[in-house]
Amino acid sequence: MLIESEFEVAAPLEQVWKHMQDVPRIAPCLPGAELTDVNGDVYKGRVTTKMGPVKLQFAGTAKIVERNESAKRIVMDASGSEEKGKGTATMKVTSTMVPSGSGTRVKVAQDIQLSGAAAQFGRGMVQDVTSVIMKSFSKCIADDIGRAARGESSVKRDAVPVKGFSIAMQATMTALKRFFGGLFGRSKS
């Protein structure tokens, strides 16, 4: 399933491009993510999320497979499996950065394949949850870029699992906005 999202960062394109390549620095911005090993462009780690009473913890590997400076595009392949279960996840993430006014627009395309417990959630729910996670990620990235520009180190963030209830509530609100926006002819948000 292909999920596309985008966000704006109030920083110049070159600064955002450089920052987005620093995976160890930006990984803690992804809710529930934790790096366990770094070897060049290969990253090992785990991602934990909770959906209601179900806790999903994936361990896996991500690798930067394309870094195109002229197009300002980074492509990463990731795969993992549930640590307690039979589920798997594979994902190709393509991030493209373009100038937008005095800042930068980051476009993210995630081609996700799920099996096991995670696959039981429908496309709409996965898309809505991804949207909520990306909002948190983009705010964290914008804050972190500001800290880096001031010469400050990144804020230490623990790999706290994404909480099912708060994510579910935000995802439900996103779904309702999309439904009523479509019903009354408004664009999705």
mmCIF file of all heavy atoms in Angstrom, residues 2-43:
data_model
loop_
_atom_site.group_PDB
_atom_site.id
_atom_site.type_symbol
_atom_site.label_atom_id
_atom_site.label_comp_id
_atom_site.label_asym_id
_atom_site.label_seq_id
_atom_site.Cartn_x
_atom_site.Cartn_y
_atom_site.Cartn_z
ATOM 1 N N LEU A 2 0.555 2.179 -0.858
ATOM 2 C CA LEU A 2 1.332 3.403 -0.974
ATOM 3 C C LEU A 2 0.670 4.492 -0.147
ATOM 4 O O LEU A 2 -0.517 4.784 -0.326
ATOM 5 C CB LEU A 2 1.435 3.831 -2.438
ATOM 6 C CG LEU A 2 2.254 5.083 -2.711
ATOM 7 C CD1 LEU A 2 3.720 4.863 -2.328
ATOM 8 C CD2 LEU A 2 2.138 5.487 -4.177
ATOM 9 N N ILE A 3 1.436 5.080 0.758
ATOM 10 C CA ILE A 3 0.942 6.182 1.589
ATOM 11 C C ILE A 3 1.848 7.373 1.341
ATOM 12 O O ILE A 3 3.066 7.285 1.507
ATOM 13 C CB ILE A 3 0.929 5.805 3.080
ATOM 14 C CG1 ILE A 3 -0.001 4.612 3.302
ATOM 15 C CG2 ILE A 3 0.512 6.994 3.926
ATOM 16 C CD1 ILE A 3 0.000 4.076 4.707
ATOM 17 N N GLU A 4 1.245 8.480 0.934
ATOM 18 C CA GLU A 4 2.011 9.685 0.660
ATOM 19 C C GLU A 4 1.639 10.779 1.640
ATOM 20 O O GLU A 4 0.466 10.935 1.985
ATOM 21 C CB GLU A 4 1.761 10.151 -0.773
ATOM 22 C CG GLU A 4 2.236 9.129 -1.803
ATOM 23 C CD GLU A 4 1.928 9.527 -3.222
ATOM 24 O OE1 GLU A 4 0.786 9.968 -3.489
ATOM 25 O OE2 GLU A 4 2.824 9.394 -4.065
ATOM 26 N N SER A 5 2.643 11.513 2.087
ATOM 27 C CA SER A 5 2.405 12.639 2.982
ATOM 28 C C SER A 5 3.475 13.682 2.706
ATOM 29 O O SER A 5 4.438 13.429 1.986
ATOM 30 C CB SER A 5 2.439 12.185 4.448
ATOM 31 O OG SER A 5 3.661 11.553 4.747
ATOM 32 N N GLU A 6 3.271 14.855 3.258
ATOM 33 C CA GLU A 6 4.261 15.903 3.111
ATOM 34 C C GLU A 6 4.163 16.852 4.286
ATOM 35 O O GLU A 6 3.139 16.906 4.965
ATOM 36 C CB GLU A 6 4.116 16.636 1.783
ATOM 37 C CG GLU A 6 2.772 17.210 1.500
ATOM 38 C CD GLU A 6 2.702 17.819 0.096
ATOM 39 O OE1 GLU A 6 2.956 17.107 -0.890
ATOM 40 O OE2 GLU A 6 2.383 19.011 0.023
ATOM 41 N N PHE A 7 5.266 17.543 4.517
ATOM 42 C CA PHE A 7 5.290 18.537 5.587
ATOM 43 C C PHE A 7 6.271 19.633 5.219
ATOM 44 O O PHE A 7 7.123 19.459 4.358
ATOM 45 C CB PHE A 7 5.619 17.900 6.944
ATOM 46 C CG PHE A 7 6.937 17.173 7.018
ATOM 47 C CD1 PHE A 7 8.095 17.829 7.423
ATOM 48 C CD2 PHE A 7 7.015 15.820 6.709
ATOM 49 C CE1 PHE A 7 9.300 17.147 7.520
ATOM 50 C CE2 PHE A 7 8.223 15.135 6.798
ATOM 51 C CZ PHE A 7 9.369 15.798 7.206
ATOM 52 N N GLU A 8 6.117 20.778 5.867
ATOM 53 C CA GLU A 8 6.971 21.937 5.619
ATOM 54 C C GLU A 8 7.909 22.137 6.793
ATOM 55 O O GLU A 8 7.532 21.912 7.948
ATOM 56 C CB GLU A 8 6.127 23.199 5.443
ATOM 57 C CG GLU A 8 5.198 23.137 4.262
ATOM 58 C CD GLU A 8 5.579 24.077 3.140
ATOM 59 O OE1 GLU A 8 6.485 24.905 3.309
ATOM 60 O OE2 GLU A 8 4.945 23.957 2.082
ATOM 61 N N VAL A 9 9.126 22.550 6.474
ATOM 62 C CA VAL A 9 10.117 22.883 7.487
ATOM 63 C C VAL A 9 10.599 24.304 7.191
ATOM 64 O O VAL A 9 10.929 24.621 6.046
ATOM 65 C CB VAL A 9 11.313 21.905 7.462
ATOM 66 C CG1 VAL A 9 12.351 22.286 8.503
ATOM 67 C CG2 VAL A 9 10.844 20.476 7.678
ATOM 68 N N ALA A 10 10.607 25.150 8.207
ATOM 69 C CA ALA A 10 11.030 26.547 8.038
ATOM 70 C C ALA A 10 12.549 26.641 8.075
ATOM 71 O O ALA A 10 13.137 27.239 8.981
ATOM 72 C CB ALA A 10 10.398 27.421 9.111
ATOM 73 N N ALA A 11 13.187 26.012 7.092
ATOM 74 C CA ALA A 11 14.648 26.038 6.973
ATOM 75 C C ALA A 11 14.986 25.887 5.489
ATOM 76 O O ALA A 11 14.211 25.299 4.730
ATOM 77 C CB ALA A 11 15.280 24.905 7.786
ATOM 78 N N PRO A 12 16.149 26.406 5.072
ATOM 79 C CA PRO A 12 16.530 26.310 3.659
ATOM 80 C C PRO A 12 16.717 24.862 3.193
ATOM 81 O O PRO A 12 17.059 23.983 3.982
ATOM 82 C CB PRO A 12 17.864 27.060 3.594
ATOM 83 C CG PRO A 12 17.990 27.821 4.867
ATOM 84 C CD PRO A 12 17.125 27.128 5.871
ATOM 85 N N LEU A 13 16.511 24.651 1.901
ATOM 86 C CA LEU A 13 16.587 23.324 1.293
ATOM 87 C C LEU A 13 17.896 22.606 1.617
ATOM 88 O O LEU A 13 17.872 21.439 2.026
ATOM 89 C CB LEU A 13 16.415 23.442 -0.227
ATOM 90 C CG LEU A 13 16.531 22.159 -1.046
ATOM 91 C CD1 LEU A 13 15.462 21.149 -0.633
ATOM 92 C CD2 LEU A 13 16.426 22.469 -2.523
ATOM 93 N N GLU A 14 19.030 23.253 1.457
ATOM 94 C CA GLU A 14 20.323 22.598 1.700
ATOM 95 C C GLU A 14 20.459 22.133 3.145
ATOM 96 O O GLU A 14 21.020 21.073 3.424
ATOM 97 C CB GLU A 14 21.488 23.508 1.311
ATOM 98 C CG GLU A 14 21.642 23.698 -0.186
ATOM 99 C CD GLU A 14 21.864 22.404 -0.960
ATOM 100 O OE1 GLU A 14 22.575 21.501 -0.458
ATOM 101 O OE2 GLU A 14 21.338 22.298 -2.083
ATOM 102 N N GLN A 15 19.948 22.933 4.067
ATOM 103 C CA GLN A 15 20.027 22.579 5.486
ATOM 104 C C GLN A 15 19.156 21.359 5.787
ATOM 105 O O GLN A 15 19.572 20.441 6.507
ATOM 106 C CB GLN A 15 19.598 23.777 6.337
ATOM 107 C CG GLN A 15 19.769 23.582 7.819
ATOM 108 C CD GLN A 15 19.356 24.825 8.600
ATOM 109 O OE1 GLN A 15 18.865 25.796 8.052
ATOM 110 N NE2 GLN A 15 19.541 24.770 9.904
ATOM 111 N N VAL A 16 17.951 21.329 5.231
ATOM 112 C CA VAL A 16 17.046 20.193 5.442
ATOM 113 C C VAL A 16 17.618 18.941 4.779
ATOM 114 O O VAL A 16 17.605 17.856 5.370
ATOM 115 C CB VAL A 16 15.625 20.509 4.919
ATOM 116 C CG1 VAL A 16 14.714 19.291 5.047
ATOM 117 C CG2 VAL A 16 15.034 21.696 5.663
ATOM 118 N N TRP A 17 18.152 19.076 3.554
ATOM 119 C CA TRP A 17 18.761 17.955 2.848
ATOM 120 C C TRP A 17 19.857 17.322 3.695
ATOM 121 O O TRP A 17 19.904 16.106 3.888
ATOM 122 C CB TRP A 17 19.305 18.432 1.504
ATOM 123 C CG TRP A 17 20.217 17.473 0.806
ATOM 124 C CD1 TRP A 17 21.557 17.631 0.621
ATOM 125 C CD2 TRP A 17 19.879 16.219 0.211
ATOM 126 N NE1 TRP A 17 22.070 16.544 -0.054
ATOM 127 C CE2 TRP A 17 21.062 15.666 -0.329
ATOM 128 C CE3 TRP A 17 18.701 15.507 0.068
ATOM 129 C CZ2 TRP A 17 21.101 14.450 -0.984
ATOM 130 C CZ3 TRP A 17 18.736 14.288 -0.587
ATOM 131 C CH2 TRP A 17 19.910 13.768 -1.100
ATOM 132 N N LYS A 18 20.746 18.142 4.227
ATOM 133 C CA LYS A 18 21.846 17.637 5.053
ATOM 134 C C LYS A 18 21.308 16.955 6.312
ATOM 135 O O LYS A 18 21.752 15.872 6.694
ATOM 136 C CB LYS A 18 22.777 18.791 5.430
ATOM 137 C CG LYS A 18 23.957 18.365 6.257
ATOM 138 C CD LYS A 18 24.847 19.555 6.600
ATOM 139 C CE LYS A 18 25.980 19.092 7.505
ATOM 140 N NZ LYS A 18 26.742 20.210 8.045
ATOM 141 N N HIS A 19 20.335 17.571 6.944
ATOM 142 C CA HIS A 19 19.779 17.044 8.196
ATOM 143 C C HIS A 19 19.076 15.698 7.987
ATOM 144 O O HIS A 19 19.220 14.784 8.806
ATOM 145 C CB HIS A 19 18.812 18.068 8.791
ATOM 146 C CG HIS A 19 18.522 17.846 10.232
ATOM 147 N ND1 HIS A 19 19.354 18.262 11.237
ATOM 148 C CD2 HIS A 19 17.489 17.233 10.850
ATOM 149 C CE1 HIS A 19 18.856 17.919 12.408
ATOM 150 N NE2 HIS A 19 17.720 17.287 12.199
ATOM 151 N N MET A 20 18.324 15.579 6.904
ATOM 152 C CA MET A 20 17.557 14.351 6.663
ATOM 153 C C MET A 20 18.454 13.152 6.355
ATOM 154 O O MET A 20 18.003 12.015 6.422
ATOM 155 C CB MET A 20 16.557 14.561 5.525
ATOM 156 C CG MET A 20 15.421 15.516 5.863
ATOM 157 S SD MET A 20 14.324 14.921 7.157
ATOM 158 C CE MET A 20 13.418 13.671 6.261
ATOM 159 N N GLN A 21 19.724 13.385 6.048
ATOM 160 C CA GLN A 21 20.654 12.292 5.805
ATOM 161 C C GLN A 21 21.302 11.781 7.092
ATOM 162 O O GLN A 21 21.947 10.739 7.086
ATOM 163 C CB GLN A 21 21.752 12.742 4.839
ATOM 164 C CG GLN A 21 21.210 13.032 3.461
ATOM 165 C CD GLN A 21 22.288 13.466 2.521
ATOM 166 O OE1 GLN A 21 23.107 12.643 2.129
ATOM 167 N NE2 GLN A 21 22.306 14.734 2.176
ATOM 168 N N ASP A 22 21.114 12.494 8.188
ATOM 169 C CA ASP A 22 21.699 12.114 9.474
ATOM 170 C C ASP A 22 20.705 11.209 10.215
ATOM 171 O O ASP A 22 20.003 11.632 11.134
ATOM 172 C CB ASP A 22 22.025 13.370 10.285
ATOM 173 C CG ASP A 22 22.795 13.065 11.558
ATOM 174 O OD1 ASP A 22 22.948 11.874 11.925
ATOM 175 O OD2 ASP A 22 23.247 14.042 12.205
ATOM 176 N N VAL A 23 20.643 9.958 9.773
ATOM 177 C CA VAL A 23 19.645 9.019 10.302
ATOM 178 C C VAL A 23 19.750 8.840 11.818
ATOM 179 O O VAL A 23 18.727 8.867 12.508
ATOM 180 C CB VAL A 23 19.703 7.669 9.557
ATOM 181 C CG1 VAL A 23 18.765 6.642 10.180
ATOM 182 C CG2 VAL A 23 19.360 7.879 8.079
ATOM 183 N N PRO A 24 20.957 8.695 12.399
ATOM 184 C CA PRO A 24 21.005 8.555 13.859
ATOM 185 C C PRO A 24 20.417 9.768 14.603
ATOM 186 O O PRO A 24 19.834 9.613 15.666
ATOM 187 C CB PRO A 24 22.501 8.408 14.155
ATOM 188 C CG PRO A 24 23.051 7.796 12.906
ATOM 189 C CD PRO A 24 22.270 8.449 11.792
ATOM 190 N N ARG A 25 20.527 10.948 14.007
ATOM 191 C CA ARG A 25 19.973 12.133 14.666
ATOM 192 C C ARG A 25 18.459 12.207 14.513
ATOM 193 O O ARG A 25 17.749 12.605 15.436
ATOM 194 C CB ARG A 25 20.627 13.400 14.121
ATOM 195 C CG ARG A 25 20.106 14.642 14.853
ATOM 196 C CD ARG A 25 20.891 15.880 14.589
ATOM 197 N NE ARG A 25 20.306 16.983 15.355
ATOM 198 C CZ ARG A 25 21.010 17.820 16.081
ATOM 199 N NH1 ARG A 25 22.312 17.703 16.160
ATOM 200 N NH2 ARG A 25 20.401 18.787 16.729
ATOM 201 N N ILE A 26 17.925 11.834 13.347
ATOM 202 C CA ILE A 26 16.480 11.980 13.128
ATOM 203 C C ILE A 26 15.662 10.765 13.553
ATOM 204 O O ILE A 26 14.461 10.881 13.757
ATOM 205 C CB ILE A 26 16.147 12.358 11.666
ATOM 206 C CG1 ILE A 26 16.443 11.215 10.704
ATOM 207 C CG2 ILE A 26 16.842 13.641 11.264
ATOM 208 C CD1 ILE A 26 15.926 11.430 9.298
ATOM 209 N N ALA A 27 16.282 9.594 13.713
ATOM 210 C CA ALA A 27 15.530 8.380 14.084
ATOM 211 C C ALA A 27 14.704 8.556 15.361
ATOM 212 O O ALA A 27 13.553 8.112 15.406
ATOM 213 C CB ALA A 27 16.462 7.185 14.206
ATOM 214 N N PRO A 28 15.229 9.209 16.405
ATOM 215 C CA PRO A 28 14.409 9.379 17.609
ATOM 216 C C PRO A 28 13.170 10.250 17.396
ATOM 217 O O PRO A 28 12.276 10.255 18.232
ATOM 218 C CB PRO A 28 15.373 10.053 18.606
ATOM 219 C CG PRO A 28 16.735 9.688 18.120
ATOM 220 C CD PRO A 28 16.612 9.632 16.621
ATOM 221 N N CYS A 29 13.112 10.973 16.273
ATOM 222 C CA CYS A 29 11.919 11.774 15.976
ATOM 223 C C CYS A 29 10.741 10.908 15.539
ATOM 224 O O CYS A 29 9.606 11.359 15.541
ATOM 225 C CB CYS A 29 12.229 12.804 14.886
ATOM 226 S SG CYS A 29 13.164 14.234 15.481
ATOM 227 N N LEU A 30 11.004 9.675 15.143
ATOM 228 C CA LEU A 30 9.941 8.771 14.735
ATOM 229 C C LEU A 30 9.402 8.082 15.982
ATOM 230 O O LEU A 30 10.123 7.315 16.636
ATOM 231 C CB LEU A 30 10.473 7.742 13.737
ATOM 232 C CG LEU A 30 9.448 6.846 13.077
ATOM 233 C CD1 LEU A 30 8.481 7.676 12.238
ATOM 234 C CD2 LEU A 30 10.137 5.823 12.202
ATOM 235 N N PRO A 31 8.154 8.358 16.367
ATOM 236 C CA PRO A 31 7.609 7.784 17.598
ATOM 237 C C PRO A 31 7.748 6.263 17.653
ATOM 238 O O PRO A 31 7.403 5.562 16.711
ATOM 239 C CB PRO A 31 6.127 8.187 17.566
ATOM 240 C CG PRO A 31 6.110 9.414 16.717
ATOM 241 C CD PRO A 31 7.175 9.199 15.671
ATOM 242 N N GLY A 32 8.315 5.762 18.750
ATOM 243 C CA GLY A 32 8.471 4.329 18.966
ATOM 244 C C GLY A 32 9.707 3.720 18.344
ATOM 245 O O GLY A 32 9.937 2.525 18.473
ATOM 246 N N ALA A 33 10.542 4.535 17.651
ATOM 247 C CA ALA A 33 11.715 3.997 16.961
ATOM 248 C C ALA A 33 12.962 4.079 17.836
ATOM 249 O O ALA A 33 13.132 5.007 18.612
ATOM 250 C CB ALA A 33 11.957 4.750 15.660
ATOM 251 N N GLU A 34 13.824 3.092 17.661
ATOM 252 C CA GLU A 34 15.083 3.033 18.398
ATOM 253 C C GLU A 34 16.137 2.372 17.511
ATOM 254 O O GLU A 34 15.916 1.290 16.983
ATOM 255 C CB GLU A 34 14.862 2.199 19.666
ATOM 256 C CG GLU A 34 16.091 1.834 20.408
ATOM 257 C CD GLU A 34 15.809 0.865 21.554
ATOM 258 O OE1 GLU A 34 14.760 0.179 21.553
ATOM 259 O OE2 GLU A 34 16.665 0.797 22.441
ATOM 260 N N LEU A 35 17.272 3.066 17.317
ATOM 261 C CA LEU A 35 18.384 2.468 16.574
ATOM 262 C C LEU A 35 19.191 1.600 17.515
ATOM 263 O O LEU A 35 19.474 1.997 18.645
ATOM 264 C CB LEU A 35 19.299 3.542 15.997
ATOM 265 C CG LEU A 35 18.856 4.242 14.728
ATOM 266 C CD1 LEU A 35 19.903 5.253 14.278
ATOM 267 C CD2 LEU A 35 18.563 3.261 13.615
ATOM 268 N N THR A 36 19.581 0.407 17.054
ATOM 269 C CA THR A 36 20.408 -0.483 17.873
ATOM 270 C C THR A 36 21.795 -0.687 17.289
ATOM 271 O O THR A 36 22.703 -1.098 18.000
ATOM 272 C CB THR A 36 19.720 -1.854 18.056
ATOM 273 O OG1 THR A 36 19.474 -2.432 16.770
ATOM 274 C CG2 THR A 36 18.401 -1.707 18.823
ATOM 275 N N ASP A 37 21.979 -0.378 15.975
ATOM 276 C CA ASP A 37 23.287 -0.543 15.356
ATOM 277 C C ASP A 37 23.335 0.291 14.082
ATOM 278 O O ASP A 37 22.342 0.395 13.355
ATOM 279 C CB ASP A 37 23.536 -2.018 15.013
ATOM 280 C CG ASP A 37 24.947 -2.268 14.501
ATOM 281 O OD1 ASP A 37 25.903 -1.779 15.140
ATOM 282 O OD2 ASP A 37 25.090 -2.947 13.468
ATOM 283 N N VAL A 38 24.498 0.889 13.826
ATOM 284 C CA VAL A 38 24.711 1.680 12.615
ATOM 285 C C VAL A 38 26.001 1.199 11.970
ATOM 286 O O VAL A 38 27.037 1.110 12.621
ATOM 287 C CB VAL A 38 24.821 3.190 12.946
ATOM 288 C CG1 VAL A 38 25.109 3.989 11.682
ATOM 289 C CG2 VAL A 38 23.567 3.694 13.643
ATOM 290 N N ASN A 39 25.912 0.874 10.673
ATOM 291 C CA ASN A 39 27.090 0.448 9.923
ATOM 292 C C ASN A 39 27.012 1.100 8.540
ATOM 293 O O ASN A 39 26.417 0.552 7.614
ATOM 294 C CB ASN A 39 27.132 -1.077 9.814
ATOM 295 C CG ASN A 39 28.405 -1.566 9.158
ATOM 296 O OD1 ASN A 39 29.306 -0.795 8.850
ATOM 297 N ND2 ASN A 39 28.467 -2.873 8.936
ATOM 298 N N GLY A 40 27.589 2.318 8.420
ATOM 299 C CA GLY A 40 27.503 3.057 7.165
ATOM 300 C C GLY A 40 26.077 3.474 6.906
ATOM 301 O O GLY A 40 25.464 4.163 7.712
ATOM 302 N N ASP A 41 25.531 3.059 5.751
ATOM 303 C CA ASP A 41 24.146 3.379 5.393
ATOM 304 C C ASP A 41 23.167 2.269 5.773
ATOM 305 O O ASP A 41 22.043 2.238 5.276
ATOM 306 C CB ASP A 41 24.046 3.649 3.886
ATOM 307 C CG ASP A 41 24.488 5.056 3.514
ATOM 308 O OD1 ASP A 41 24.637 5.896 4.421
ATOM 309 O OD2 ASP A 41 24.679 5.320 2.308
ATOM 310 N N VAL A 42 23.595 1.351 6.631
ATOM 311 C CA VAL A 42 22.731 0.257 7.093
ATOM 312 C C VAL A 42 22.441 0.480 8.580
ATOM 313 O O VAL A 42 23.344 0.662 9.389
ATOM 314 C CB VAL A 42 23.387 -1.124 6.868
ATOM 315 C CG1 VAL A 42 22.506 -2.236 7.401
ATOM 316 C CG2 VAL A 42 23.692 -1.333 5.389
ATOM 317 N N TYR A 43 21.153 0.459 8.909
ATOM 318 C CA TYR A 43 20.709 0.759 10.271
ATOM 319 C C TYR A 43 19.854 -0.384 10.788
ATOM 320 O O TYR A 43 18.944 -0.838 10.105
ATOM 321 C CB TYR A 43 19.884 2.058 10.274
ATOM 322 C CG TYR A 43 20.613 3.190 9.609
ATOM 323 C CD1 TYR A 43 20.455 3.435 8.241
ATOM 324 C CD2 TYR A 43 21.495 3.988 10.330
ATOM 325 C CE1 TYR A 43 21.146 4.456 7.621
ATOM 326 C CE2 TYR A 43 22.193 5.020 9.709
ATOM 327 C CZ TYR A 43 22.013 5.242 8.360
ATOM 328 O OH TYR A 43 22.708 6.251 7.747
#
